[in-house]
Amino acid sequence: MTLIAIEEHWILPELTDALNDLPPEARDESLAFNDLGDHQERLQDLGAGRIATMDAQGIDVSILALTPPGTQSLPAEEALRLSRTANDVAAAAVAAHPTRFRSLSTLPMSAPSEVAGELERAADLGHVGTMVYGRSGDRFLDDPAYDDFFATAAALRQPVFLHPQLPSAAVRDASYRGFDPMTDLALATFGWGWHLDAATAALRLILRGTFDRHPDLQVVLGHWGEMLLFWLDRADSLSRVGGLRRPVSDYLRTNFFITTSGMFNPALLRHALSVTSTDRLIFSTDYPFQQPTREEIDAFLGELPSDVDRRKFSSGNASVLFGI
């Protein structure tokens, strides 16, 4: 059975340098996670070492995505330059290993007028989608400045992976401080804040009418839907208040795909299947931050209800969504 993993991270050292050179108040502390263990080595490897790990896990194709926080926190001109560099590097990696890699593009979201153009250029390079975050500076992803981007993504059939990011300084000060620095950071990122931030960004896109204007737009959420799948009864009440054409849950079922991000818990799968279908679920490992073994992957695939569901989840849905 073919296995496609869609959220497999890599790093651009030049971008890391630029992010670390930002003023202290603008730096993203989550960059520290890239330095844990052998993450740097694995993130920089776009060749034999990564492919060897894929072989050991039984993964046939990895869709490469630049590791957070991307270029969104950089000044506009620098974000555009480094987004173009990242897209060129990733395209070259795919060209060198065309049967094993695909890639998601990086976009200069701090330069809204340049985003659609870079998405078009990246698509021409062969990128099969893009990865963005819920906010660039103080500008939310649902800001009207990005509507051309969403229109272009829909027209080009480029899925938009909405990845978590570090909450704003104001939100961190209000909700994620008061412990030691590492606990503060963990609470604001993988322990809770990342996922709430991404879920809020997704809800804002729905409430802004993004999918009413662009019904063909497809968005991917990691980590089993960033908690939204577990809160739809309450989120649906937003539809009436916000004047939406459909319930929030309906948008989740028709405009969003959900991926596992290496969280292979059968209980999460069972809940996901109670609110959406296997047609909307996609495999990913969140490499190298999660590194499941082949045995763990095979055991989880065995939890899918049927062979048809396993084929959809392991490769069929990704093949259709990303045109592989």
Side-chain angles (χ1 to χ4, degrees):
M1 183 181 298
T2 302
L3 192 58
I4 300 174
I6 73 161
E7 184 190 0
E8 315 306 296
H9 293 293
W10 68 284
I11 202 166
L12 182 69
E14 186 180 354
L15 173 58
T16 300
D17 291 341
L19 292 168
N20 284 328
D21 286 341
L22 289 171
E25 65 275 10
R27 289 179 198 153
D28 191 314
E29 293 176 50
S30 67
L31 285 167
F33 299 140
N34 298 342
D35 293 324
L36 296 178
D38 62 356
H39 287 175
Q40 277 286 343
E41 178 183 354
R42 290 178 179 272
L43 285 165
Q44 291 186 44
D45 186 350
L46 294 176
R50 184 180 292 259
I51 290 171
T53 300
M54 291 166 57
D55 290 341
Q57 295 174 309
I59 294 171
D60 297 286
V61 178
S62 282
I63 300 184
L64 307 172
L66 195 67
T67 196
T71 63
Q72 290 194 208
S73 56
L74 295 173
E77 185 174 337
E78 192 171 25
L80 178 59
R81 178 179 65 82
L82 287 171
S83 293
R84 287 173 171 168
T85 299
N87 292 333
D88 291 344
V89 170
V94 173
H97 305 282
T99 64
R100 306 307 301 272
F101 294 154
R102 295 294 186 274
S103 58
L104 301 181
S105 64
T106 300
L107 298 177
M109 304 303 283
S110 58
S113 63
E114 303 287 353
V115 173
E118 182 56 19
L119 180 67
E120 291 177 332
R121 191 186 80 90
D124 287 343
L125 289 174
H127 292 267
V128 296
T130 192
M131 178 173 282
V132 300
Y133 303 85
R135 175 179 33 81
S136 181
D138 294 327
R139 182 181 282 117
F140 291 109
L141 187 59
D142 60 281
D143 190 288
Y146 294 126
D147 205 54
D148 284 347
F149 157 56
F150 288 118
T152 302
L156 294 176
R157 300 180 64 84
Q158 288 271 298
V160 177
F161 198 123
L162 175 49
H163 195 279
Q165 71 183 138
L166 190 68
S168 69
V171 171
R172 291 189 68 192
D173 289 343
S175 301
Y176 299 116
R177 304 253 189 225
F179 304 94
D180 63 272
M182 186 51 70
T183 303
D184 285 354
L185 182 60
L187 181 62
T189 55
F190 60 82
W192 189 254
W194 264 348
H195 313 296
L196 189 61
D197 197 80
T200 302
L203 277 175
R204 289 183 63 97
L205 286 175
I206 294 171
L207 286 169
R208 189 68 71 180
T210 306
F211 304 99
D212 294 331
R213 293 190 302 279
H214 312 295
D216 294 331
L217 178 66
Q218 297 297 315
V219 171
V220 182
L221 287 175
H223 309 98
W224 291 105
E226 309 295 0
M227 301 189 284
L228 277 180
L229 296 188
F230 303 89
W231 206 247
L232 287 180
D233 288 352
R234 299 289 281 185
D236 271 344
S237 63
L238 290 168
S239 300
R240 176 179 56 81
V241 175
L244 296 176
R245 297 178 187 174
R246 299 182 279 150
V248 167
S249 57
D250 194 31
Y251 294 98
L252 259 292
R253 295 182 185 112
T254 59
N255 294 100
F256 287 80
F257 284 79
I258 307 300
T259 188
T260 54
S261 303
M263 300 167 63
F264 298 138
N265 183 336
L268 299 178
L269 171 63
R270 289 193 292 273
H271 181 76
L273 290 176
S274 75
V275 295
T276 190
S277 71
T278 49
D279 292 335
R280 289 277 153 179
L281 301 182
I282 298 180
F283 175 83
S284 72
T285 75
D286 202 7
Y287 180 86
F289 306 105
Q290 305 292 329
Q291 298 177 37
T293 65
R294 180 191 288 258
E295 290 73 24
E296 290 169 333
I297 292 170
D298 288 345
F300 184 76
L301 291 175
E303 298 287 339
L304 274 295
S306 70
D307 286 343
V308 171
D309 291 319
R310 280 186 282 276
R311 284 193 292 271
K312 288 180 179 178
F313 174 74
S314 63
S315 64
N317 294 338
S319 293
V320 172
L321 180 63
F322 294 105
I324 298 175

mmCIF file with all atom_site columns, all heavy atoms in Angstrom, residues 57-83:
data_model
loop_
_atom_site.group_PDB
_atom_site.id
_atom_site.type_symbol
_atom_site.label_atom_id
_atom_site.label_alt_id
_atom_site.label_comp_id
_atom_site.label_asym_id
_atom_site.label_entity_id
_atom_site.label_seq_id
_atom_site.pdbx_PDB_ins_code
_atom_site.Cartn_x
_atom_site.Cartn_y
_atom_site.Cartn_z
_atom_site.occupancy
_atom_site.B_iso_or_equiv
_atom_site.pdbx_formal_charge
_atom_site.auth_seq_id
_atom_site.auth_comp_id
_atom_site.auth_asym_id
_atom_site.auth_atom_id
_atom_site.pdbx_PDB_model_num
ATOM 1   N N   . GLN A 1 57 ? 10.425 3.765  7.626  1.00 0.00 ? 57 GLN A N   1
ATOM 2   C CA  . GLN A 1 57 ? 9.052  3.943  8.081  1.00 0.00 ? 57 GLN A CA  1
ATOM 3   C C   . GLN A 1 57 ? 8.020  3.392  7.098  1.00 0.00 ? 57 GLN A C   1
ATOM 4   O O   . GLN A 1 57 ? 6.837  3.304  7.437  1.00 0.00 ? 57 GLN A O   1
ATOM 5   C CB  . GLN A 1 57 ? 8.767  5.436  8.294  1.00 0.00 ? 57 GLN A CB  1
ATOM 6   C CG  . GLN A 1 57 ? 9.571  6.080  9.411  1.00 0.00 ? 57 GLN A CG  1
ATOM 7   C CD  . GLN A 1 57 ? 9.354  7.585  9.468  1.00 0.00 ? 57 GLN A CD  1
ATOM 8   O OE1 . GLN A 1 57 ? 9.477  8.274  8.451  1.00 0.00 ? 57 GLN A OE1 1
ATOM 9   N NE2 . GLN A 1 57 ? 9.016  8.089  10.634 1.00 0.00 ? 57 GLN A NE2 1
ATOM 10  N N   . GLY A 1 58 ? 8.443  3.046  5.900  1.00 0.00 ? 58 GLY A N   1
ATOM 11  C CA  . GLY A 1 58 ? 7.515  2.578  4.885  1.00 0.00 ? 58 GLY A CA  1
ATOM 12  C C   . GLY A 1 58 ? 6.820  3.694  4.139  1.00 0.00 ? 58 GLY A C   1
ATOM 13  O O   . GLY A 1 58 ? 5.759  3.485  3.533  1.00 0.00 ? 58 GLY A O   1
ATOM 14  N N   . ILE A 1 59 ? 7.395  4.911  4.146  1.00 0.00 ? 59 ILE A N   1
ATOM 15  C CA  . ILE A 1 59 ? 6.800  6.068  3.475  1.00 0.00 ? 59 ILE A CA  1
ATOM 16  C C   . ILE A 1 59 ? 7.349  6.165  2.054  1.00 0.00 ? 59 ILE A C   1
ATOM 17  O O   . ILE A 1 59 ? 8.560  6.196  1.849  1.00 0.00 ? 59 ILE A O   1
ATOM 18  C CB  . ILE A 1 59 ? 7.094  7.364  4.251  1.00 0.00 ? 59 ILE A CB  1
ATOM 19  C CG1 . ILE A 1 59 ? 6.393  7.318  5.612  1.00 0.00 ? 59 ILE A CG1 1
ATOM 20  C CG2 . ILE A 1 59 ? 6.648  8.596  3.463  1.00 0.00 ? 59 ILE A CG2 1
ATOM 21  C CD1 . ILE A 1 59 ? 6.775  8.443  6.541  1.00 0.00 ? 59 ILE A CD1 1
ATOM 22  N N   . ASP A 1 60 ? 6.468  6.218  1.088  1.00 0.00 ? 60 ASP A N   1
ATOM 23  C CA  . ASP A 1 60 ? 6.880  6.276  -0.312 1.00 0.00 ? 60 ASP A CA  1
ATOM 24  C C   . ASP A 1 60 ? 7.164  7.701  -0.783 1.00 0.00 ? 60 ASP A C   1
ATOM 25  O O   . ASP A 1 60 ? 8.126  7.929  -1.523 1.00 0.00 ? 60 ASP A O   1
ATOM 26  C CB  . ASP A 1 60 ? 5.787  5.647  -1.194 1.00 0.00 ? 60 ASP A CB  1
ATOM 27  C CG  . ASP A 1 60 ? 5.573  4.179  -0.887 1.00 0.00 ? 60 ASP A CG  1
ATOM 28  O OD1 . ASP A 1 60 ? 6.432  3.365  -1.275 1.00 0.00 ? 60 ASP A OD1 1
ATOM 29  O OD2 . ASP A 1 60 ? 4.567  3.863  -0.237 1.00 0.00 ? 60 ASP A OD2 1
ATOM 30  N N   . VAL A 1 61 ? 6.311  8.644  -0.386 1.00 0.00 ? 61 VAL A N   1
ATOM 31  C CA  . VAL A 1 61 ? 6.448  10.033 -0.834 1.00 0.00 ? 61 VAL A CA  1
ATOM 32  C C   . VAL A 1 61 ? 6.278  10.961 0.363  1.00 0.00 ? 61 VAL A C   1
ATOM 33  O O   . VAL A 1 61 ? 5.327  10.805 1.146  1.00 0.00 ? 61 VAL A O   1
ATOM 34  C CB  . VAL A 1 61 ? 5.397  10.398 -1.908 1.00 0.00 ? 61 VAL A CB  1
ATOM 35  C CG1 . VAL A 1 61 ? 5.532  11.865 -2.320 1.00 0.00 ? 61 VAL A CG1 1
ATOM 36  C CG2 . VAL A 1 61 ? 5.537  9.488  -3.121 1.00 0.00 ? 61 VAL A CG2 1
ATOM 37  N N   . SER A 1 62 ? 7.184  11.924 0.509  1.00 0.00 ? 62 SER A N   1
ATOM 38  C CA  . SER A 1 62 ? 7.065  12.963 1.523  1.00 0.00 ? 62 SER A CA  1
ATOM 39  C C   . SER A 1 62 ? 6.804  14.300 0.837  1.00 0.00 ? 62 SER A C   1
ATOM 40  O O   . SER A 1 62 ? 7.481  14.641 -0.135 1.00 0.00 ? 62 SER A O   1
ATOM 41  C CB  . SER A 1 62 ? 8.350  13.077 2.353  1.00 0.00 ? 62 SER A CB  1
ATOM 42  O OG  . SER A 1 62 ? 8.437  12.050 3.313  1.00 0.00 ? 62 SER A OG  1
ATOM 43  N N   . ILE A 1 63 ? 5.839  15.040 1.361  1.00 0.00 ? 63 ILE A N   1
ATOM 44  C CA  . ILE A 1 63 ? 5.600  16.395 0.897  1.00 0.00 ? 63 ILE A CA  1
ATOM 45  C C   . ILE A 1 63 ? 6.324  17.334 1.852  1.00 0.00 ? 63 ILE A C   1
ATOM 46  O O   . ILE A 1 63 ? 5.952  17.473 3.020  1.00 0.00 ? 63 ILE A O   1
ATOM 47  C CB  . ILE A 1 63 ? 4.101  16.719 0.825  1.00 0.00 ? 63 ILE A CB  1
ATOM 48  C CG1 . ILE A 1 63 ? 3.409  15.756 -0.157 1.00 0.00 ? 63 ILE A CG1 1
ATOM 49  C CG2 . ILE A 1 63 ? 3.892  18.170 0.383  1.00 0.00 ? 63 ILE A CG2 1
ATOM 50  C CD1 . ILE A 1 63 ? 1.928  16.048 -0.375 1.00 0.00 ? 63 ILE A CD1 1
ATOM 51  N N   . LEU A 1 64 ? 7.377  17.953 1.356  1.00 0.00 ? 64 LEU A N   1
ATOM 52  C CA  . LEU A 1 64 ? 8.248  18.797 2.174  1.00 0.00 ? 64 LEU A CA  1
ATOM 53  C C   . LEU A 1 64 ? 7.576  20.129 2.482  1.00 0.00 ? 64 LEU A C   1
ATOM 54  O O   . LEU A 1 64 ? 6.924  20.715 1.619  1.00 0.00 ? 64 LEU A O   1
ATOM 55  C CB  . LEU A 1 64 ? 9.563  19.048 1.445  1.00 0.00 ? 64 LEU A CB  1
ATOM 56  C CG  . LEU A 1 64 ? 10.326 17.814 0.950  1.00 0.00 ? 64 LEU A CG  1
ATOM 57  C CD1 . LEU A 1 64 ? 11.499 18.236 0.075  1.00 0.00 ? 64 LEU A CD1 1
ATOM 58  C CD2 . LEU A 1 64 ? 10.804 16.972 2.135  1.00 0.00 ? 64 LEU A CD2 1
ATOM 59  N N   . ALA A 1 65 ? 7.761  20.596 3.721  1.00 0.00 ? 65 ALA A N   1
ATOM 60  C CA  . ALA A 1 65 ? 7.215  21.889 4.129  1.00 0.00 ? 65 ALA A CA  1
ATOM 61  C C   . ALA A 1 65 ? 8.225  22.563 5.037  1.00 0.00 ? 65 ALA A C   1
ATOM 62  O O   . ALA A 1 65 ? 8.703  21.954 5.997  1.00 0.00 ? 65 ALA A O   1
ATOM 63  C CB  . ALA A 1 65 ? 5.881  21.713 4.857  1.00 0.00 ? 65 ALA A CB  1
ATOM 64  N N   . LEU A 1 66 ? 8.545  23.814 4.725  1.00 0.00 ? 66 LEU A N   1
ATOM 65  C CA  . LEU A 1 66 ? 9.505  24.550 5.538  1.00 0.00 ? 66 LEU A CA  1
ATOM 66  C C   . LEU A 1 66 ? 9.030  24.585 6.987  1.00 0.00 ? 66 LEU A C   1
ATOM 67  O O   . LEU A 1 66 ? 7.849  24.786 7.267  1.00 0.00 ? 66 LEU A O   1
ATOM 68  C CB  . LEU A 1 66 ? 9.641  25.972 5.006  1.00 0.00 ? 66 LEU A CB  1
ATOM 69  C CG  . LEU A 1 66 ? 10.834 26.774 5.502  1.00 0.00 ? 66 LEU A CG  1
ATOM 70  C CD1 . LEU A 1 66 ? 12.142 26.196 4.984  1.00 0.00 ? 66 LEU A CD1 1
ATOM 71  C CD2 . LEU A 1 66 ? 10.696 28.233 5.061  1.00 0.00 ? 66 LEU A CD2 1
ATOM 72  N N   . THR A 1 67 ? 9.967  24.381 7.913  1.00 0.00 ? 67 THR A N   1
ATOM 73  C CA  . THR A 1 67 ? 9.595  24.323 9.322  1.00 0.00 ? 67 THR A CA  1
ATOM 74  C C   . THR A 1 67 ? 9.147  25.700 9.826  1.00 0.00 ? 67 THR A C   1
ATOM 75  O O   . THR A 1 67 ? 9.581  26.731 9.305  1.00 0.00 ? 67 THR A O   1
ATOM 76  C CB  . THR A 1 67 ? 10.787 23.805 10.153 1.00 0.00 ? 67 THR A CB  1
ATOM 77  O OG1 . THR A 1 67 ? 10.329 23.397 11.437 1.00 0.00 ? 67 THR A OG1 1
ATOM 78  C CG2 . THR A 1 67 ? 11.869 24.836 10.296 1.00 0.00 ? 67 THR A CG2 1
ATOM 79  N N   . PRO A 1 68 ? 8.247  25.732 10.818 1.00 0.00 ? 68 PRO A N   1
ATOM 80  C CA  . PRO A 1 68 ? 7.819  27.022 11.390 1.00 0.00 ? 68 PRO A CA  1
ATOM 81  C C   . PRO A 1 68 ? 9.006  27.820 11.908 1.00 0.00 ? 68 PRO A C   1
ATOM 82  O O   . PRO A 1 68 ? 10.002 27.230 12.324 1.00 0.00 ? 68 PRO A O   1
ATOM 83  C CB  . PRO A 1 68 ? 6.899  26.597 12.548 1.00 0.00 ? 68 PRO A CB  1
ATOM 84  C CG  . PRO A 1 68 ? 6.460  25.210 12.206 1.00 0.00 ? 68 PRO A CG  1
ATOM 85  C CD  . PRO A 1 68 ? 7.596  24.587 11.458 1.00 0.00 ? 68 PRO A CD  1
ATOM 86  N N   . PRO A 1 69 ? 8.894  29.165 11.889 1.00 0.00 ? 69 PRO A N   1
ATOM 87  C CA  . PRO A 1 69 ? 7.695  29.960 11.567 1.00 0.00 ? 69 PRO A CA  1
ATOM 88  C C   . PRO A 1 69 ? 7.659  30.462 10.139 1.00 0.00 ? 69 PRO A C   1
ATOM 89  O O   . PRO A 1 69 ? 6.954  31.444 9.860  1.00 0.00 ? 69 PRO A O   1
ATOM 90  C CB  . PRO A 1 69 ? 7.833  31.127 12.542 1.00 0.00 ? 69 PRO A CB  1
ATOM 91  C CG  . PRO A 1 69 ? 9.317  31.368 12.590 1.00 0.00 ? 69 PRO A CG  1
ATOM 92  C CD  . PRO A 1 69 ? 9.944  30.001 12.522 1.00 0.00 ? 69 PRO A CD  1
ATOM 93  N N   . GLY A 1 70 ? 8.368  29.847 9.220  1.00 0.00 ? 70 GLY A N   1
ATOM 94  C CA  . GLY A 1 70 ? 8.383  30.343 7.859  1.00 0.00 ? 70 GLY A CA  1
ATOM 95  C C   . GLY A 1 70 ? 8.999  31.725 7.766  1.00 0.00 ? 70 GLY A C   1
ATOM 96  O O   . GLY A 1 70 ? 9.858  32.089 8.572  1.00 0.00 ? 70 GLY A O   1
ATOM 97  N N   . THR A 1 71 ? 8.522  32.495 6.799  1.00 0.00 ? 71 THR A N   1
ATOM 98  C CA  . THR A 1 71 ? 9.060  33.844 6.586  1.00 0.00 ? 71 THR A CA  1
ATOM 99  C C   . THR A 1 71 ? 8.110  34.934 7.074  1.00 0.00 ? 71 THR A C   1
ATOM 100 O O   . THR A 1 71 ? 8.389  36.120 6.887  1.00 0.00 ? 71 THR A O   1
ATOM 101 C CB  . THR A 1 71 ? 9.334  34.074 5.084  1.00 0.00 ? 71 THR A CB  1
ATOM 102 O OG1 . THR A 1 71 ? 8.091  33.995 4.368  1.00 0.00 ? 71 THR A OG1 1
ATOM 103 C CG2 . THR A 1 71 ? 10.306 33.048 4.531  1.00 0.00 ? 71 THR A CG2 1
ATOM 104 N N   . GLN A 1 72 ? 7.012  34.562 7.709  1.00 0.00 ? 72 GLN A N   1
ATOM 105 C CA  . GLN A 1 72 ? 5.943  35.529 7.963  1.00 0.00 ? 72 GLN A CA  1
ATOM 106 C C   . GLN A 1 72 ? 6.314  36.637 8.944  1.00 0.00 ? 72 GLN A C   1
ATOM 107 O O   . GLN A 1 72 ? 5.704  37.701 8.932  1.00 0.00 ? 72 GLN A O   1
ATOM 108 C CB  . GLN A 1 72 ? 4.684  34.810 8.453  1.00 0.00 ? 72 GLN A CB  1
ATOM 109 C CG  . GLN A 1 72 ? 4.057  33.997 7.349  1.00 0.00 ? 72 GLN A CG  1
ATOM 110 C CD  . GLN A 1 72 ? 2.651  33.524 7.659  1.00 0.00 ? 72 GLN A CD  1
ATOM 111 O OE1 . GLN A 1 72 ? 2.231  32.502 7.152  1.00 0.00 ? 72 GLN A OE1 1
ATOM 112 N NE2 . GLN A 1 72 ? 1.892  34.250 8.459  1.00 0.00 ? 72 GLN A NE2 1
ATOM 113 N N   . SER A 1 73 ? 7.303  36.400 9.804  1.00 0.00 ? 73 SER A N   1
ATOM 114 C CA  . SER A 1 73 ? 7.653  37.423 10.782 1.00 0.00 ? 73 SER A CA  1
ATOM 115 C C   . SER A 1 73 ? 8.732  38.379 10.278 1.00 0.00 ? 73 SER A C   1
ATOM 116 O O   . SER A 1 73 ? 9.132  39.298 10.991 1.00 0.00 ? 73 SER A O   1
ATOM 117 C CB  . SER A 1 73 ? 8.125  36.767 12.085 1.00 0.00 ? 73 SER A CB  1
ATOM 118 O OG  . SER A 1 73 ? 9.210  35.877 11.845 1.00 0.00 ? 73 SER A OG  1
ATOM 119 N N   . LEU A 1 74 ? 9.191  38.196 9.044  1.00 0.00 ? 74 LEU A N   1
ATOM 120 C CA  . LEU A 1 74 ? 10.241 39.040 8.486  1.00 0.00 ? 74 LEU A CA  1
ATOM 121 C C   . LEU A 1 74 ? 9.652  40.280 7.814  1.00 0.00 ? 74 LEU A C   1
ATOM 122 O O   . LEU A 1 74 ? 8.508  40.277 7.361  1.00 0.00 ? 74 LEU A O   1
ATOM 123 C CB  . LEU A 1 74 ? 11.051 38.256 7.451  1.00 0.00 ? 74 LEU A CB  1
ATOM 124 C CG  . LEU A 1 74 ? 11.863 37.069 7.977  1.00 0.00 ? 74 LEU A CG  1
ATOM 125 C CD1 . LEU A 1 74 ? 12.469 36.304 6.808  1.00 0.00 ? 74 LEU A CD1 1
ATOM 126 C CD2 . LEU A 1 74 ? 12.951 37.530 8.940  1.00 0.00 ? 74 LEU A CD2 1
ATOM 127 N N   . PRO A 1 75 ? 10.446 41.358 7.701  1.00 0.00 ? 75 PRO A N   1
ATOM 128 C CA  . PRO A 1 75 ? 10.006 42.518 6.906  1.00 0.00 ? 75 PRO A CA  1
ATOM 129 C C   . PRO A 1 75 ? 9.703  42.094 5.477  1.00 0.00 ? 75 PRO A C   1
ATOM 130 O O   . PRO A 1 75 ? 10.245 41.105 4.974  1.00 0.00 ? 75 PRO A O   1
ATOM 131 C CB  . PRO A 1 75 ? 11.210 43.460 6.975  1.00 0.00 ? 75 PRO A CB  1
ATOM 132 C CG  . PRO A 1 75 ? 11.961 43.045 8.193  1.00 0.00 ? 75 PRO A CG  1
ATOM 133 C CD  . PRO A 1 75 ? 11.762 41.568 8.329  1.00 0.00 ? 75 PRO A CD  1
ATOM 134 N N   . ALA A 1 76 ? 8.839  42.831 4.826  1.00 0.00 ? 76 ALA A N   1
ATOM 135 C CA  . ALA A 1 76 ? 8.277  42.418 3.540  1.00 0.00 ? 76 ALA A CA  1
ATOM 136 C C   . ALA A 1 76 ? 9.338  42.059 2.503  1.00 0.00 ? 76 ALA A C   1
ATOM 137 O O   . ALA A 1 76 ? 9.278  40.994 1.875  1.00 0.00 ? 76 ALA A O   1
ATOM 138 C CB  . ALA A 1 76 ? 7.370  43.522 3.007  1.00 0.00 ? 76 ALA A CB  1
ATOM 139 N N   . GLU A 1 77 ? 10.303 42.924 2.291  1.00 0.00 ? 77 GLU A N   1
ATOM 140 C CA  . GLU A 1 77 ? 11.294 42.683 1.236  1.00 0.00 ? 77 GLU A CA  1
ATOM 141 C C   . GLU A 1 77 ? 12.113 41.433 1.527  1.00 0.00 ? 77 GLU A C   1
ATOM 142 O O   . GLU A 1 77 ? 12.371 40.618 0.628  1.00 0.00 ? 77 GLU A O   1
ATOM 143 C CB  . GLU A 1 77 ? 12.216 43.903 1.102  1.00 0.00 ? 77 GLU A CB  1
ATOM 144 C CG  . GLU A 1 77 ? 13.195 43.797 -0.055 1.00 0.00 ? 77 GLU A CG  1
ATOM 145 C CD  . GLU A 1 77 ? 14.004 45.072 -0.251 1.00 0.00 ? 77 GLU A CD  1
ATOM 146 O OE1 . GLU A 1 77 ? 13.535 46.149 0.185  1.00 0.00 ? 77 GLU A OE1 1
ATOM 147 O OE2 . GLU A 1 77 ? 15.094 44.986 -0.845 1.00 0.00 ? 77 GLU A OE2 1
ATOM 148 N N   . GLU A 1 78 ? 12.516 41.270 2.779  1.00 0.00 ? 78 GLU A N   1
ATOM 149 C CA  . GLU A 1 78 ? 13.301 40.092 3.142  1.00 0.00 ? 78 GLU A CA  1
ATOM 150 C C   . GLU A 1 78 ? 12.443 38.835 3.088  1.00 0.00 ? 78 GLU A C   1
ATOM 151 O O   . GLU A 1 78 ? 12.917 37.763 2.673  1.00 0.00 ? 78 GLU A O   1
ATOM 152 C CB  . GLU A 1 78 ? 13.892 40.273 4.537  1.00 0.00 ? 78 GLU A CB  1
ATOM 153 C CG  . GLU A 1 78 ? 14.945 39.244 4.905  1.00 0.00 ? 78 GLU A CG  1
ATOM 154 C CD  . GLU A 1 78 ? 15.662 39.595 6.195  1.00 0.00 ? 78 GLU A CD  1
ATOM 155 O OE1 . GLU A 1 78 ? 15.079 40.314 7.034  1.00 0.00 ? 78 GLU A OE1 1
ATOM 156 O OE2 . GLU A 1 78 ? 16.802 39.145 6.365  1.00 0.00 ? 78 GLU A OE2 1
ATOM 157 N N   . ALA A 1 79 ? 11.184 38.928 3.471  1.00 0.00 ? 79 ALA A N   1
ATOM 158 C CA  . ALA A 1 79 ? 10.287 37.779 3.400  1.00 0.00 ? 79 ALA A CA  1
ATOM 159 C C   . ALA A 1 79 ? 10.119 37.313 1.962  1.00 0.00 ? 79 ALA A C   1
ATOM 160 O O   . ALA A 1 79 ? 10.119 36.102 1.679  1.00 0.00 ? 79 ALA A O   1
ATOM 161 C CB  . ALA A 1 79 ? 8.935  38.139 3.999  1.00 0.00 ? 79 ALA A CB  1
ATOM 162 N N   . LEU A 1 80 ? 9.990  38.253 1.032  1.00 0.00 ? 80 LEU A N   1
ATOM 163 C CA  . LEU A 1 80 ? 9.843  37.885 -0.380 1.00 0.00 ? 80 LEU A CA  1
ATOM 164 C C   . LEU A 1 80 ? 11.102 37.205 -0.885 1.00 0.00 ? 80 LEU A C   1
ATOM 165 O O   . LEU A 1 80 ? 11.041 36.159 -1.545 1.00 0.00 ? 80 LEU A O   1
ATOM 166 C CB  . LEU A 1 80 ? 9.520  39.127 -1.204 1.00 0.00 ? 80 LEU A CB  1
ATOM 167 C CG  . LEU A 1 80 ? 9.393  38.910 -2.713 1.00 0.00 ? 80 LEU A CG  1
ATOM 168 C CD1 . LEU A 1 80 ? 8.302  37.898 -3.030 1.00 0.00 ? 80 LEU A CD1 1
ATOM 169 C CD2 . LEU A 1 80 ? 9.128  40.235 -3.424 1.00 0.00 ? 80 LEU A CD2 1
ATOM 170 N N   . ARG A 1 81 ? 12.258 37.784 -0.573 1.00 0.00 ? 81 ARG A N   1
ATOM 171 C CA  . ARG A 1 81 ? 13.520 37.204 -1.062 1.00 0.00 ? 81 ARG A CA  1
ATOM 172 C C   . ARG A 1 81 ? 13.725 35.796 -0.529 1.00 0.00 ? 81 ARG A C   1
ATOM 173 O O   . ARG A 1 81 ? 14.045 34.868 -1.295 1.00 0.00 ? 81 ARG A O   1
ATOM 174 C CB  . ARG A 1 81 ? 14.686 38.099 -0.637 1.00 0.00 ? 81 ARG A CB  1
ATOM 175 C CG  . ARG A 1 81 ? 16.061 37.553 -1.046 1.00 0.00 ? 81 ARG A CG  1
ATOM 176 C CD  . ARG A 1 81 ? 17.179 38.485 -0.632 1.00 0.00 ? 81 ARG A CD  1
ATOM 177 N NE  . ARG A 1 81 ? 17.309 38.622 0.814  1.00 0.00 ? 81 ARG A NE  1
ATOM 178 C CZ  . ARG A 1 81 ? 17.960 37.744 1.585  1.00 0.00 ? 81 ARG A CZ  1
ATOM 179 N NH1 . ARG A 1 81 ? 18.525 36.667 1.051  1.00 0.00 ? 81 ARG A NH1 1
ATOM 180 N NH2 . ARG A 1 81 ? 18.049 37.957 2.883  1.00 0.00 ? 81 ARG A NH2 1
ATOM 181 N N   . LEU A 1 82 ? 13.514 35.595 0.758  1.00 0.00 ? 82 LEU A N   1
ATOM 182 C CA  . LEU A 1 82 ? 13.778 34.284 1.345  1.00 0.00 ? 82 LEU A CA  1
ATOM 183 C C   . LEU A 1 82 ? 12.677 33.276 1.008  1.00 0.00 ? 82 LEU A C   1
ATOM 184 O O   . LEU A 1 82 ? 12.945 32.069 0.941  1.00 0.00 ? 82 LEU A O   1
ATOM 185 C CB  . LEU A 1 82 ? 13.963 34.408 2.851  1.00 0.00 ? 82 LEU A CB  1
ATOM 186 C CG  . LEU A 1 82 ? 15.300 35.041 3.246  1.00 0.00 ? 82 LEU A CG  1
ATOM 187 C CD1 . LEU A 1 82 ? 15.360 35.341 4.734  1.00 0.00 ? 82 LEU A CD1 1
ATOM 188 C CD2 . LEU A 1 82 ? 16.466 34.127 2.837  1.00 0.00 ? 82 LEU A CD2 1
ATOM 189 N N   . SER A 1 83 ? 11.455 33.740 0.768  1.00 0.00 ? 83 SER A N   1
ATOM 190 C CA  . SER A 1 83 ? 10.414 32.830 0.291  1.00 0.00 ? 83 SER A CA  1
ATOM 191 C C   . SER A 1 83 ? 10.786 32.289 -1.089 1.00 0.00 ? 83 SER A C   1
ATOM 192 O O   . SER A 1 83 ? 10.651 31.082 -1.360 1.00 0.00 ? 83 SER A O   1
ATOM 193 C CB  . SER A 1 83 ? 9.062  33.540 0.228  1.00 0.00 ? 83 SER A CB  1
ATOM 194 O OG  . SER A 1 83 ? 8.596  33.880 1.511  1.00 0.00 ? 83 SER A OG  1
#
